[in-house]
Amino acid sequence: MKFALLCAIVLSAATAAAETVIIEYPDHYYVESTGTAEAKSAPSREGSAPPARTVPAPEQESRAPAVAARPVTNFDNDPQPVAPAERRASMEKEIQRLQGLRSELMTPREGETADQAERRQREAEGKLRKINRLSSELLKIAPGQ
């Protein structure tokens, strides 16, 4: 029992006095116990490993605009309200334009791949959604106004 206790004390003292070399690599760490500080330590492996390169972080400040910020809201020049008749006419014109674009997109093209056809059909569906949205807004505007 005394022998085990003596071994534990000696081993704990030897372990506590051990010298540790820690080498940091870009993707991992290397830890080496080289023995006691009084004893001749093992040769360091730091010289064999290439030094980690520090990549400078991009500066966030360099992207900041040089012009001072200006307020978005201008209370001096209030925009004139649009007359319902003008709004209705511009919405009808936009609906006609979108219908023309949609009809062009719906026609198949020669030499078109399946991906291109699918993309064209998605664009046509998007135009149809815009047409439907504008049509519902147009119905909300009273025709006599």
Side-chain angles (χ1 to χ4, degrees):
M1 179 73 170
K2 290 182 183 181
F3 181 71
L5 183 62
L6 182 61
C7 286
I9 291 173
V10 170
L11 286 176
S12 66
T15 307
E19 186 175 315
T20 305
V21 175
I22 301 173
I23 301 172
E24 181 180 352
Y25 291 102
D27 58 344
H28 67 281
Y29 292 96
Y30 177 76
V31 180
E32 179 181 5
S33 180
T34 58
T36 61
E38 293 84 27
K40 185 178 178 186
S41 63
S44 176
R45 297 186 186 188
E46 281 188 48
S48 65
R53 293 188 182 124
T54 305
V55 179
E59 294 181 17
Q60 297 293 335
E61 297 172 9
S62 64
R63 296 183 200 162
V67 181
R70 288 182 247 143
V72 176
T73 308
N74 188 357
F75 294 104
D76 296 334
N77 298 331
D78 290 330
Q80 298 295 325
V82 178
E86 288 179 36
R87 183 171 181 222
R88 185 175 183 80
S90 68
M91 289 175 81
E92 288 173 348
K93 185 178 178 181
E94 180 67 13
I95 289 172
Q96 289 175 355
R97 185 185 74 81
L98 288 172
Q99 285 174 341
L101 289 174
R102 182 175 179 266
S103 66
E104 288 177 17
L105 289 170
M106 291 301 291
T107 57
R109 297 183 179 128
E110 286 187 37
E112 187 176 47
T113 65
D115 290 338
Q116 291 172 337
E118 184 180 339
R119 187 178 330 119
R120 182 179 42 79
Q121 289 175 354
R122 280 195 309 252
E123 287 181 37
E125 289 172 4
K127 302 291 184 208
L128 181 62
R129 283 191 297 272
K130 287 181 184 178
I131 290 169
N132 290 339
R133 183 177 42 87
L134 286 173
S135 297
S136 67
E137 288 181 24
L138 191 60
L139 291 173
K140 292 176 186 177
I141 299 174
Q145 291 182 344

